[in-house]
Amino acid sequence: MGPRLPLLVAALASCLLPARTCVLCDTKVVEALNSLEMDYLPGHLGAEHHKNLMKRVKQALQDFKELPFDEDSYLGVVDEPTLEKASWSLLKDLKRITDSEVKDELFVKELFWMLHLQKDTFARYAAHFQKEDFCPNECGMMLQTLIWCSNCKKQVHACRKSLDCGERKVEVHEMEDMILDCELNWHHASQGLTDYSFYRVWRNKSETLVSKGKEPTLTKIMVDPLDAGTYRCQLGTVQSSPATVIRFHVTVLPKRIAEEIPSSNIPSQDEVAPSEVTWSVTKSSTTLQSPTAENILRGRLVGLLIWISVVLIAGIATTILCYRSEKVMDSIKSWLGTGSEAAQSSQVPEEKATESRSQ
């Protein structure tokens, strides 16, 4: 049962004492009940029923504590967030009833039905706290503030488990930063914590304090092989016992080698002496680099455009030539036709001259 045993014993002992319900530990609930009696009842219920009604209401709230004691559901204690959720749910439903302005018998029925449902709601909240939020630490010692429903007192409960929270292996490359994180997820909810102390543990089991303070991390910049080894982190408390102890085994790996891709425009030492390397060589050699996919695609597009332009020009030239050839042929035909008519007209007088001569 672990840390639950002391709570169970105390809860059973509280049954012998006058006990209060957890929701009555919230002053806002007490104020709301007083307002119900002094402000709401006079205008919504007969005066002769006021005293008896308030007695029954308080008894119904007292029945909230009538839950079976079980280490997995209810041990008579809650934390502040659980109490606030249960109180807010009760106050919300009570305000809903008073805002509705119901009266007399209907008001009484709705009020006690609401209290019945709120008891179930409180039981769910208490069970969730017991399973999830009560002593959530898996290791170490957590100091948790709890509210005892029997007397509404706040007390710090020590959730004691194994102080050794295990070992962690850390690998870091030389000349890089080493970060050791000692914080656990329940540290922020624990009370009475003091400082994080980091120690360097040597082979002879002796220790050297490296860092101490509120920061849960130890940072060592630009580590070297001498930083490899074992470190121990201890979180202190206001009590004599620490909250947690964590060990770190640090391994310093060789320095990372940056991957350098040799450039084709820089000749090797076997090809050119260092004194012979000039800017002109670099510029001329850049033309020898292998073309990229983008350059290849651009070249193909340019070639396609040139080919289309050539086809268009050839087509236009052919059209123009065909058009002009037709005109030339027409002009030749017209010229030939004119010449033949002139020849015929010249032959007529010659024939007439011949005929006159023969006569």
Side-chain angles (χ1 to χ4, degrees):
M1 299 180 68
R4 291 179 170 82
L5 181 59
L7 286 181
L8 184 58
V9 173
L12 293 175
S14 67
C15 294
L16 304 177
L17 302 174
R20 300 176 65 183
T21 180
C22 279
V23 292
L24 289 178
C25 295
D26 193 331
T27 57
K28 295 189 293 293
V29 174
V30 177
E31 293 173 357
L33 293 179
N34 292 334
S35 176
L36 177 68
E37 181 178 9
M38 303 302 296
D39 302 330
Y40 189 83
L41 291 186
H44 300 80
L45 188 66
E48 67 276 12
H49 301 298
H50 290 184
K51 185 177 181 180
N52 183 49
L53 176 70
M54 294 307 300
K55 182 179 179 180
R56 292 175 59 192
V57 169
K58 292 180 180 179
Q59 183 59 47
L61 291 175
Q62 291 290 347
D63 289 344
F64 279 26
K65 66 178 175 54
E66 301 298 331
L67 298 175
F69 286 101
D70 182 66
E71 63 174 340
D72 293 327
S73 59
Y74 182 65
L75 287 179
V77 295
V78 294
D79 61 353
E80 289 188 12
T82 302
L83 177 59
E84 289 179 0
K85 289 190 295 184
S87 300
W88 180 83
S89 179
L90 174 63
L91 293 173
K92 181 188 66 173
D93 280 358
L94 182 59
K95 186 176 185 302
R96 176 182 56 81
I97 292 176
T98 55
D99 288 346
S100 65
E101 297 291 339
V102 292
K103 297 181 179 181
D104 300 326
E105 185 178 356
L106 180 60
F107 162 70
V108 175
K109 288 183 177 180
E110 287 198 16
L111 180 63
F112 284 99
W113 177 247
M114 181 271 293
L115 292 175
H116 171 73
L117 297 178
Q118 285 300 317
K119 181 179 180 180
D120 295 338
T121 300
F122 173 75
R124 291 197 304 271
Y125 286 150
H128 180 273
F129 162 74
Q130 201 66 32
K131 293 179 180 178
E132 304 294 337
D133 300 326
F134 175 68
C135 291
N137 56 314
E138 297 181 357
C139 64
M141 181 183 68
M142 176 182 179
L143 301 178
Q144 188 175 24
T145 300
L146 302 177
I147 300 174
W148 295 78
C149 296
S150 59
N151 53 20
C152 295
K153 289 184 178 181
K154 293 182 181 181
Q155 295 181 350
V156 176
H157 175 67
C159 304
R160 300 180 183 274
K161 297 180 182 179
S162 175
L163 293 180
D164 189 357
C165 289
E167 300 178 350
R168 300 178 182 178
K169 293 183 178 180
V170 178
E171 294 183 349
V172 59
H173 288 270
E174 186 179 352
M175 301 303 294
E176 294 183 2
D177 296 344
M178 175 186 71
I179 300 177
L180 306 181
D181 190 354
C182 191
E183 186 177 22
L184 299 179
N185 55 5
W186 53 267
H187 282 176
H188 68 281
S190 181
Q191 304 294 321
L193 301 181
T194 55
D195 297 322
Y196 291 90
S197 299
F198 289 87
Y199 298 87
R200 176 70 185 271
V201 182
W202 306 101
R203 292 184 178 180
N204 59 1
K205 304 302 180 182
S206 63
E207 296 182 347
T208 301
L209 180 63
V210 179
S211 172
K212 184 176 182 179
K214 301 299 181 181
E215 291 296 327
T217 58
L218 171 66
T219 302
K220 177 69 168 62
I221 62 174
M222 299 181 67
V223 297
D224 56 42
L226 297 179
D227 294 314
T230 302
Y231 295 79
R232 183 173 69 90
C233 170
Q234 177 175 303
L235 175 58
T237 65
V238 294
Q239 299 184 4
S240 58
S241 177
T244 53
V245 176
I246 301 176
R247 287 181 173 80
F248 300 89
H249 291 286
V250 178
T251 302
V252 178
L253 302 176
K255 183 179 179 181
R256 294 181 189 270
I257 300 177
E259 295 183 0
E260 297 182 358
I261 301 176
S263 179
S264 60
N265 61 352
I266 301 178
S268 62
Q269 294 182 356
D270 296 337
E271 298 175 353
V272 181
S275 60
E276 297 178 358
V277 178
T278 61
W279 287 106
S280 61
V281 174
T282 304
K283 293 181 180 179
S284 63
S285 60
T286 54
T287 60
L288 299 178
Q289 294 180 356
S290 58
T292 61
E294 183 180 358
N295 293 336
I296 294 174
L297 181 59
R298 186 182 295 116
R300 290 180 178 178
L301 290 175
V302 171
L304 181 60
L305 290 175
I306 293 173
W307 184 82
I308 293 174
S309 301
V310 171
V311 172
L312 288 175
I313 293 172
I316 294 172
T318 303
T319 303
I320 293 173
L321 290 176
C322 291
Y323 177 74
R324 288 188 175 181
S325 62
E326 290 178 359
K327 284 189 173 184
V328 171
M329 293 297 295
D330 292 339
S331 62
I332 292 173
K333 288 179 180 180
S334 63
W335 181 77
L336 291 176
T338 304
S340 59
E341 291 177 358
Q344 291 177 1
S345 62
S346 60
Q347 288 177 0
V348 172
E350 289 179 357
E351 292 176 355
K352 288 181 179 182
T354 306
E355 291 177 355
S356 63
R357 289 175 182 175
S358 58
Q359 290 177 358

